[in-house]
Short mmCIF file of all heavy atoms in Angstrom, two decimals:
data_model
loop_
_atom_site.label_atom_id
_atom_site.label_comp_id
_atom_site.label_asym_id
_atom_site.label_seq_id
_atom_site.Cartn_x
_atom_site.Cartn_y
_atom_site.Cartn_z
N LYS A 49 -2.41 -16.02 -10.88
CA LYS A 49 -1.78 -17.10 -10.10
C LYS A 49 -0.67 -17.82 -10.83
O LYS A 49 -0.62 -17.89 -12.08
CB LYS A 49 -2.86 -18.18 -9.65
CG LYS A 49 -3.25 -19.21 -10.69
CD LYS A 49 -4.16 -20.22 -10.03
CE LYS A 49 -4.61 -21.21 -11.10
NZ LYS A 49 -5.56 -22.20 -10.55
N PRO A 50 0.28 -18.39 -10.05
CA PRO A 50 1.40 -19.11 -10.66
C PRO A 50 0.87 -20.39 -11.32
O PRO A 50 -0.23 -20.85 -11.04
CB PRO A 50 2.24 -19.48 -9.44
CG PRO A 50 1.73 -18.68 -8.31
CD PRO A 50 0.29 -18.36 -8.64
N GLY A 51 1.69 -20.97 -12.17
CA GLY A 51 1.33 -22.28 -12.75
C GLY A 51 0.31 -22.27 -13.79
O GLY A 51 -0.17 -23.31 -14.25
N GLN A 52 -0.17 -21.10 -14.23
CA GLN A 52 -1.28 -21.07 -15.16
C GLN A 52 -0.87 -21.36 -16.58
O GLN A 52 -1.78 -21.62 -17.41
CB GLN A 52 -1.97 -19.70 -15.12
CG GLN A 52 -1.03 -18.54 -15.49
CD GLN A 52 -1.70 -17.16 -15.43
OE1 GLN A 52 -2.42 -16.72 -16.28
NE2 GLN A 52 -1.48 -16.52 -14.36
N SER A 53 0.41 -21.26 -16.92
CA SER A 53 0.84 -21.59 -18.29
C SER A 53 2.31 -21.98 -18.21
O SER A 53 2.98 -21.84 -17.21
CB SER A 53 0.65 -20.37 -19.21
OG SER A 53 1.68 -19.42 -19.03
N LYS A 54 2.85 -22.36 -19.37
CA LYS A 54 4.19 -22.87 -19.37
C LYS A 54 5.22 -21.76 -19.35
O LYS A 54 6.41 -22.01 -19.16
CB LYS A 54 4.42 -23.77 -20.61
CG LYS A 54 4.25 -23.10 -21.90
CD LYS A 54 4.39 -24.09 -23.02
CE LYS A 54 3.96 -23.48 -24.40
NZ LYS A 54 4.08 -24.36 -25.56
N ILE A 55 4.77 -20.54 -19.55
CA ILE A 55 5.82 -19.45 -19.54
C ILE A 55 5.82 -18.69 -18.19
O ILE A 55 6.48 -17.60 -18.06
CB ILE A 55 5.57 -18.41 -20.67
CG1 ILE A 55 4.22 -17.81 -20.57
CG2 ILE A 55 5.89 -19.07 -22.04
CD1 ILE A 55 4.06 -16.52 -21.52
N VAL A 56 5.17 -19.19 -17.22
CA VAL A 56 5.25 -18.58 -15.89
C VAL A 56 5.74 -19.58 -14.88
O VAL A 56 5.92 -20.74 -15.21
CB VAL A 56 3.88 -17.97 -15.41
CG1 VAL A 56 3.31 -17.02 -16.52
CG2 VAL A 56 2.86 -19.09 -15.13
N THR A 57 6.01 -19.08 -13.66
CA THR A 57 6.53 -20.00 -12.61
C THR A 57 5.61 -21.20 -12.44
O THR A 57 4.39 -21.08 -12.47
CB THR A 57 6.65 -19.21 -11.25
OG1 THR A 57 7.00 -20.20 -10.27
CG2 THR A 57 5.36 -18.52 -10.85
N GLN A 58 6.17 -22.32 -12.15
CA GLN A 58 5.42 -23.60 -12.05
C GLN A 58 4.96 -23.88 -10.66
O GLN A 58 4.53 -25.00 -10.38
CB GLN A 58 6.24 -24.76 -12.67
CG GLN A 58 6.44 -24.59 -14.16
CD GLN A 58 5.18 -24.34 -14.92
OE1 GLN A 58 4.28 -25.22 -14.88
NE2 GLN A 58 5.07 -23.25 -15.62
N ARG A 59 5.08 -22.93 -9.72
CA ARG A 59 4.54 -23.13 -8.40
C ARG A 59 3.05 -23.41 -8.51
O ARG A 59 2.45 -22.92 -9.44
CB ARG A 59 4.77 -21.92 -7.51
CG ARG A 59 6.19 -21.72 -7.13
CD ARG A 59 6.31 -20.77 -5.93
NE ARG A 59 5.60 -19.42 -6.18
CZ ARG A 59 6.12 -18.44 -6.82
NH1 ARG A 59 7.35 -18.50 -7.28
NH2 ARG A 59 5.44 -17.31 -7.03
N LYS A 60 2.48 -24.17 -7.60
CA LYS A 60 1.12 -24.59 -7.78
C LYS A 60 0.19 -24.05 -6.71
O LYS A 60 -0.47 -24.77 -6.00
CB LYS A 60 1.03 -26.12 -7.73
CG LYS A 60 1.67 -26.88 -8.95
CD LYS A 60 0.88 -26.60 -10.24
CE LYS A 60 1.51 -27.41 -11.42
NZ LYS A 60 1.21 -26.82 -12.74
N GLU A 61 0.24 -22.72 -6.56
CA GLU A 61 -0.67 -22.14 -5.53
C GLU A 61 -2.08 -22.11 -6.09
O GLU A 61 -2.28 -21.69 -7.22
CB GLU A 61 -0.13 -20.75 -5.19
CG GLU A 61 1.08 -20.76 -4.32
CD GLU A 61 1.91 -19.57 -4.50
OE1 GLU A 61 1.53 -18.64 -5.23
OE2 GLU A 61 3.11 -19.58 -3.97
N ASP A 62 -2.96 -22.43 -5.24
CA ASP A 62 -4.37 -22.52 -5.60
C ASP A 62 -4.95 -21.07 -5.63
O ASP A 62 -5.85 -20.75 -6.41
CB ASP A 62 -5.14 -23.33 -4.60
CG ASP A 62 -5.57 -24.61 -5.25
OD1 ASP A 62 -5.29 -24.84 -6.39
OD2 ASP A 62 -6.20 -25.40 -4.51
N ASP A 63 -4.53 -20.32 -4.67
CA ASP A 63 -5.13 -18.98 -4.49
C ASP A 63 -6.58 -18.98 -4.27
O ASP A 63 -7.34 -18.18 -4.89
CB ASP A 63 -4.69 -18.02 -5.65
CG ASP A 63 -3.22 -17.69 -5.56
OD1 ASP A 63 -2.57 -17.96 -4.50
OD2 ASP A 63 -2.68 -17.04 -6.47
N ARG A 64 -7.02 -19.93 -3.44
CA ARG A 64 -8.45 -19.90 -3.03
C ARG A 64 -8.54 -18.84 -1.91
O ARG A 64 -7.69 -18.73 -1.09
CB ARG A 64 -8.89 -21.26 -2.48
CG ARG A 64 -8.89 -22.39 -3.48
CD ARG A 64 -10.10 -22.29 -4.40
NE ARG A 64 -9.78 -23.00 -5.68
CZ ARG A 64 -10.51 -22.83 -6.77
NH1 ARG A 64 -11.54 -21.98 -6.81
NH2 ARG A 64 -10.19 -23.50 -7.91
N PHE A 65 -9.64 -18.06 -1.95
CA PHE A 65 -9.77 -17.03 -1.02
C PHE A 65 -11.03 -17.26 -0.15
O PHE A 65 -11.94 -18.04 -0.43
CB PHE A 65 -9.96 -15.69 -1.69
CG PHE A 65 -11.28 -15.55 -2.45
CD1 PHE A 65 -12.38 -14.94 -1.89
CD2 PHE A 65 -11.39 -16.10 -3.73
CE1 PHE A 65 -13.58 -14.84 -2.53
CE2 PHE A 65 -12.60 -15.99 -4.41
CZ PHE A 65 -13.66 -15.38 -3.83
N VAL A 66 -11.07 -16.58 0.98
CA VAL A 66 -12.23 -16.62 1.83
C VAL A 66 -12.55 -15.20 2.26
O VAL A 66 -11.62 -14.41 2.59
CB VAL A 66 -12.05 -17.53 3.09
CG1 VAL A 66 -10.81 -17.16 3.83
CG2 VAL A 66 -13.31 -17.48 3.99
N ILE A 67 -13.82 -14.80 2.09
CA ILE A 67 -14.28 -13.46 2.57
C ILE A 67 -14.65 -13.68 4.07
O ILE A 67 -15.57 -14.42 4.37
CB ILE A 67 -15.45 -12.97 1.77
CG1 ILE A 67 -15.03 -12.78 0.29
CG2 ILE A 67 -15.99 -11.62 2.33
CD1 ILE A 67 -16.13 -12.31 -0.60
N GLN A 68 -13.91 -12.89 4.88
CA GLN A 68 -14.09 -13.12 6.34
C GLN A 68 -15.05 -12.12 6.99
O GLN A 68 -15.53 -12.34 8.07
CB GLN A 68 -12.70 -12.95 7.05
CG GLN A 68 -11.75 -13.99 6.70
CD GLN A 68 -10.42 -13.75 7.31
OE1 GLN A 68 -9.91 -12.66 7.21
NE2 GLN A 68 -9.79 -14.79 7.92
N SER A 69 -15.37 -11.05 6.25
CA SER A 69 -16.27 -10.03 6.83
C SER A 69 -16.72 -9.04 5.79
O SER A 69 -16.22 -9.06 4.70
CB SER A 69 -15.52 -9.26 7.94
OG SER A 69 -14.50 -8.48 7.37
N GLY A 70 -17.76 -8.30 6.10
CA GLY A 70 -18.14 -7.24 5.24
C GLY A 70 -19.12 -7.54 4.15
O GLY A 70 -19.56 -6.66 3.41
N VAL A 71 -19.45 -8.78 3.97
CA VAL A 71 -20.39 -9.21 2.95
C VAL A 71 -21.46 -10.03 3.61
O VAL A 71 -21.13 -10.98 4.46
CB VAL A 71 -19.68 -10.03 1.84
CG1 VAL A 71 -20.73 -10.57 0.82
CG2 VAL A 71 -18.65 -9.13 1.13
N PHE A 72 -22.72 -9.72 3.37
CA PHE A 72 -23.77 -10.43 4.02
C PHE A 72 -24.84 -10.74 2.94
O PHE A 72 -25.29 -9.87 2.18
CB PHE A 72 -24.42 -9.55 5.12
CG PHE A 72 -25.49 -10.21 5.92
CD1 PHE A 72 -25.20 -11.31 6.68
CD2 PHE A 72 -26.80 -9.68 5.99
CE1 PHE A 72 -26.19 -11.96 7.48
CE2 PHE A 72 -27.77 -10.30 6.78
CZ PHE A 72 -27.47 -11.45 7.48
N GLU A 73 -25.18 -12.04 2.86
CA GLU A 73 -26.14 -12.43 1.85
C GLU A 73 -25.80 -11.97 0.43
O GLU A 73 -26.65 -11.47 -0.29
CB GLU A 73 -27.60 -12.04 2.27
CG GLU A 73 -27.98 -12.69 3.58
CD GLU A 73 -29.38 -12.37 4.11
OE1 GLU A 73 -29.94 -11.33 3.62
OE2 GLU A 73 -29.83 -13.01 5.05
N GLY A 74 -24.48 -11.96 0.14
CA GLY A 74 -24.05 -11.69 -1.22
C GLY A 74 -23.81 -10.24 -1.51
O GLY A 74 -23.46 -9.90 -2.66
N LYS A 75 -24.03 -9.39 -0.51
CA LYS A 75 -23.84 -7.93 -0.76
C LYS A 75 -22.90 -7.31 0.23
O LYS A 75 -22.93 -7.74 1.38
CB LYS A 75 -25.21 -7.18 -0.71
CG LYS A 75 -26.18 -7.61 -1.80
CD LYS A 75 -27.30 -6.54 -1.92
CE LYS A 75 -28.35 -6.93 -2.95
NZ LYS A 75 -29.40 -7.80 -2.27
N THR A 76 -22.20 -6.28 -0.20
CA THR A 76 -21.35 -5.55 0.80
C THR A 76 -22.29 -4.86 1.76
O THR A 76 -23.39 -4.33 1.40
CB THR A 76 -20.45 -4.59 0.10
OG1 THR A 76 -21.24 -3.61 -0.61
CG2 THR A 76 -19.49 -5.23 -0.88
N THR A 77 -21.83 -4.64 3.00
CA THR A 77 -22.67 -4.02 4.04
C THR A 77 -22.17 -2.67 4.42
O THR A 77 -22.73 -2.04 5.32
CB THR A 77 -22.65 -4.92 5.26
OG1 THR A 77 -21.33 -5.06 5.80
CG2 THR A 77 -23.28 -6.30 5.03
N GLY A 78 -21.02 -2.23 3.84
CA GLY A 78 -20.46 -0.94 4.22
C GLY A 78 -19.45 -1.08 5.34
O GLY A 78 -18.78 -0.09 5.69
N THR A 79 -19.28 -2.27 5.89
CA THR A 79 -18.37 -2.53 6.94
C THR A 79 -17.10 -3.12 6.31
O THR A 79 -17.11 -3.47 5.09
CB THR A 79 -18.87 -3.46 8.03
OG1 THR A 79 -19.21 -4.72 7.41
CG2 THR A 79 -20.14 -2.79 8.63
N PRO A 80 -15.94 -3.21 6.98
CA PRO A 80 -14.72 -3.64 6.36
C PRO A 80 -14.85 -4.99 5.75
O PRO A 80 -15.26 -5.93 6.44
CB PRO A 80 -13.65 -3.61 7.48
CG PRO A 80 -14.24 -2.79 8.58
CD PRO A 80 -15.73 -2.90 8.42
N ILE A 81 -14.38 -5.12 4.51
CA ILE A 81 -14.30 -6.41 3.84
C ILE A 81 -12.94 -7.02 4.08
O ILE A 81 -11.91 -6.39 3.70
CB ILE A 81 -14.60 -6.24 2.32
CG1 ILE A 81 -15.99 -5.55 2.12
CG2 ILE A 81 -14.44 -7.59 1.61
CD1 ILE A 81 -16.18 -5.12 0.73
N SER A 82 -12.85 -8.21 4.63
CA SER A 82 -11.60 -8.87 4.78
C SER A 82 -11.56 -10.06 3.88
O SER A 82 -12.46 -10.89 3.88
CB SER A 82 -11.49 -9.30 6.26
OG SER A 82 -10.38 -10.22 6.38
N ILE A 83 -10.52 -10.19 3.08
CA ILE A 83 -10.30 -11.33 2.23
C ILE A 83 -8.98 -11.94 2.53
O ILE A 83 -7.98 -11.27 2.54
CB ILE A 83 -10.34 -10.93 0.70
CG1 ILE A 83 -11.67 -10.12 0.41
CG2 ILE A 83 -10.18 -12.13 -0.16
CD1 ILE A 83 -11.75 -9.66 -1.01
N PHE A 84 -9.00 -13.23 2.78
CA PHE A 84 -7.77 -13.96 3.15
C PHE A 84 -7.54 -15.08 2.13
O PHE A 84 -8.41 -15.80 1.75
CB PHE A 84 -7.97 -14.53 4.53
CG PHE A 84 -6.67 -15.07 5.11
CD1 PHE A 84 -5.64 -14.28 5.41
CD2 PHE A 84 -6.50 -16.47 5.38
CE1 PHE A 84 -4.43 -14.76 5.95
CE2 PHE A 84 -5.34 -16.98 5.95
CZ PHE A 84 -4.29 -16.10 6.23
N ILE A 85 -6.26 -15.11 1.75
CA ILE A 85 -5.90 -16.19 0.77
C ILE A 85 -4.75 -16.97 1.40
O ILE A 85 -3.60 -16.59 1.48
CB ILE A 85 -5.31 -15.56 -0.55
CG1 ILE A 85 -6.34 -14.59 -1.17
CG2 ILE A 85 -4.91 -16.60 -1.57
CD1 ILE A 85 -6.09 -13.16 -0.98
N PRO A 86 -5.12 -18.15 1.93
CA PRO A 86 -4.13 -18.99 2.60
C PRO A 86 -3.00 -19.41 1.62
O PRO A 86 -3.24 -19.62 0.46
CB PRO A 86 -4.89 -20.24 3.06
CG PRO A 86 -6.33 -19.87 3.03
CD PRO A 86 -6.42 -18.81 1.90
N ASN A 87 -1.80 -19.45 2.19
CA ASN A 87 -0.67 -19.94 1.41
C ASN A 87 -0.69 -21.49 1.41
O ASN A 87 -1.10 -22.07 2.38
CB ASN A 87 0.66 -19.50 2.03
CG ASN A 87 0.86 -17.98 1.81
OD1 ASN A 87 0.40 -17.42 0.89
ND2 ASN A 87 1.64 -17.38 2.76
N LYS A 88 -0.37 -22.06 0.24
CA LYS A 88 -0.44 -23.50 0.14
C LYS A 88 0.89 -24.15 -0.24
O LYS A 88 1.42 -24.94 0.53
CB LYS A 88 -1.46 -23.88 -0.89
CG LYS A 88 -2.89 -23.70 -0.51
CD LYS A 88 -3.33 -24.77 0.52
CE LYS A 88 -4.75 -24.44 1.13
NZ LYS A 88 -5.77 -24.21 0.11
N ASP A 89 1.43 -23.77 -1.35
CA ASP A 89 2.57 -24.54 -1.94
C ASP A 89 3.90 -23.92 -1.52
O ASP A 89 4.83 -23.79 -2.33
CB ASP A 89 2.42 -24.60 -3.50
CG ASP A 89 3.51 -25.49 -4.09
OD1 ASP A 89 3.79 -26.54 -3.51
OD2 ASP A 89 4.04 -25.13 -5.14
N GLN A 90 3.98 -23.58 -0.17
CA GLN A 90 5.25 -23.01 0.18
C GLN A 90 6.29 -24.12 0.39
O GLN A 90 6.04 -25.06 1.03
CB GLN A 90 5.11 -22.29 1.51
CG GLN A 90 3.96 -21.34 1.62
CD GLN A 90 2.94 -21.91 2.61
OE1 GLN A 90 2.57 -23.07 2.60
NE2 GLN A 90 2.46 -20.98 3.47
N LYS A 91 7.45 -23.90 -0.19
CA LYS A 91 8.56 -24.83 0.10
C LYS A 91 9.63 -23.98 0.75
O LYS A 91 10.61 -23.55 0.12
CB LYS A 91 9.07 -25.44 -1.25
CG LYS A 91 7.94 -26.21 -1.99
CD LYS A 91 8.53 -27.14 -3.04
CE LYS A 91 7.40 -27.95 -3.70
NZ LYS A 91 7.83 -28.69 -4.87
N SER A 92 9.45 -23.86 2.03
CA SER A 92 10.38 -22.96 2.77
C SER A 92 11.81 -23.41 2.67
O SER A 92 12.76 -22.61 2.67
CB SER A 92 9.96 -22.90 4.24
OG SER A 92 8.67 -22.34 4.35
N LYS A 93 12.03 -24.69 2.50
CA LYS A 93 13.40 -25.19 2.39
C LYS A 93 14.11 -24.61 1.20
O LYS A 93 15.34 -24.46 1.21
CB LYS A 93 13.38 -26.71 2.33
CG LYS A 93 13.24 -27.39 3.71
CD LYS A 93 13.43 -28.86 3.59
CE LYS A 93 12.57 -29.56 4.62
NZ LYS A 93 12.12 -30.94 4.14
N ASP A 94 13.37 -24.38 0.15
CA ASP A 94 14.01 -23.72 -1.00
C ASP A 94 14.80 -22.45 -0.68
O ASP A 94 15.59 -22.04 -1.44
CB ASP A 94 12.84 -23.29 -2.00
CG ASP A 94 12.34 -24.45 -2.87
OD1 ASP A 94 12.82 -25.61 -2.63
OD2 ASP A 94 11.50 -24.22 -3.71
N TYR A 95 14.47 -21.94 0.43
CA TYR A 95 15.06 -20.59 0.75
C TYR A 95 16.11 -20.59 1.81
O TYR A 95 16.67 -19.52 2.14
CB TYR A 95 13.90 -19.64 1.08
CG TYR A 95 13.09 -19.38 -0.09
CD1 TYR A 95 11.83 -20.09 -0.26
CD2 TYR A 95 13.41 -18.48 -1.09
CE1 TYR A 95 11.10 -19.81 -1.41
CE2 TYR A 95 12.66 -18.23 -2.15
CZ TYR A 95 11.46 -18.94 -2.34
OH TYR A 95 10.70 -18.74 -3.44
N SER A 96 16.37 -21.80 2.38
CA SER A 96 17.33 -21.79 3.45
C SER A 96 18.74 -21.30 2.98
O SER A 96 19.48 -20.69 3.76
CB SER A 96 17.50 -23.20 4.05
OG SER A 96 17.78 -24.11 2.94
N HIS A 97 18.96 -21.44 1.70
CA HIS A 97 20.27 -20.94 1.19
C HIS A 97 20.37 -19.44 1.18
O HIS A 97 21.48 -18.88 1.03
CB HIS A 97 20.52 -21.50 -0.23
CG HIS A 97 19.55 -20.95 -1.26
ND1 HIS A 97 18.21 -21.18 -1.23
CD2 HIS A 97 19.75 -20.18 -2.36
CE1 HIS A 97 17.58 -20.59 -2.23
NE2 HIS A 97 18.53 -19.96 -2.99
N ILE A 98 19.28 -18.76 1.33
CA ILE A 98 19.44 -17.26 1.31
C ILE A 98 19.13 -16.68 2.69
O ILE A 98 19.04 -15.51 2.86
CB ILE A 98 18.46 -16.61 0.30
CG1 ILE A 98 17.06 -17.05 0.52
CG2 ILE A 98 18.92 -16.91 -1.14
CD1 ILE A 98 16.01 -16.01 0.12
N LYS A 99 19.00 -17.53 3.66
CA LYS A 99 18.76 -17.09 5.03
C LYS A 99 19.81 -16.00 5.40
O LYS A 99 19.46 -15.01 6.01
CB LYS A 99 18.85 -18.29 5.98
CG LYS A 99 18.55 -17.86 7.39
CD LYS A 99 18.67 -19.07 8.32
CE LYS A 99 18.55 -18.58 9.81
NZ LYS A 99 18.70 -19.71 10.78
N ASP A 100 21.07 -16.28 5.10
CA ASP A 100 22.10 -15.40 5.51
C ASP A 100 22.77 -14.67 4.34
O ASP A 100 23.80 -14.00 4.49
CB ASP A 100 23.12 -16.08 6.38
CG ASP A 100 22.56 -16.64 7.67
OD1 ASP A 100 21.74 -15.89 8.26
OD2 ASP A 100 22.85 -17.71 8.07
N SER A 101 22.23 -14.83 3.18
CA SER A 101 22.85 -14.18 2.01
C SER A 101 21.81 -13.19 1.36
O SER A 101 20.62 -13.39 1.57
CB SER A 101 23.26 -15.22 1.00
OG SER A 101 24.21 -16.10 1.53
N TYR A 102 22.33 -12.23 0.61
CA TYR A 102 21.48 -11.29 -0.02
C TYR A 102 21.47 -11.50 -1.52
O TYR A 102 22.47 -11.36 -2.18
CB TYR A 102 21.96 -9.88 0.38
CG TYR A 102 22.18 -9.71 1.85
CD1 TYR A 102 23.30 -9.25 2.39
CD2 TYR A 102 21.08 -9.97 2.76
CE1 TYR A 102 23.50 -9.05 3.74
CE2 TYR A 102 21.27 -9.77 4.06
CZ TYR A 102 22.46 -9.38 4.62
OH TYR A 102 22.59 -9.17 5.92
#
Side-chain angles (χ1 to χ4, degrees):
Chain A
K49 82 171 177 186
Q52 63 182 276
S53 79
K54 61 185 172 179
I55 60 165
V56 306
T57 174
Q58 294 306 302
R59 287 196 308 276
K60 293 289 183 205
E61 285 149 8
D62 250 359
D63 286 352
R64 294 284 157 195
F65 69 95
V66 54
I67 299 179
Q68 294 174 314
S69 67
V71 175
F72 186 60
E73 298 179 345
K75 295 200 185 84
T76 61
T77 60
T79 61
I81 301 167
S82 168
I83 305 179
F84 190 66
I85 304 105
N87 289 333
K88 285 287 171 54
D89 187 38
Q90 314 110 314
K91 301 197 177 171
S92 297
K93 281 188 210 149
D94 279 3
Y95 294 95
S96 54
H97 67 297
I98 56 152
K99 181 180 172 184
D100 296 321
S101 298
Y102 308 125

